[in-house]
Amino acid sequence: GGELHVDLTDGRATLRGPTEHELGGEAETVSARHLDA
């Protein structure tokens, strides 16, 4: 919880506020052409 600040500059959003680590892990990048199967 806490206050979240969102800055929009040149089409980019930047989020600022307090954070807490919730979980960790790894993700694999998959090409979009593999999602049509």
Side-chain angles (χ1 to χ4, degrees), residues 28-37:
E28 178 182 349
T29 302
V30 179
S31 173
R33 66 178 159 239
H34 294 284
L35 299 177
D36 292 333

Side-chain angles (χ1 to χ4, degrees), residues 6-32:
V6 180
D7 296 316
L8 298 172
T9 305
D10 296 328
R12 301 186 92 180
T14 303
L15 307 178
R16 295 183 292 123
T19 62
E20 291 187 27
H21 185 84
E22 291 292 327
L23 68 114
E26 295 181 14
E28 178 182 349
T29 302
V30 179
S31 173

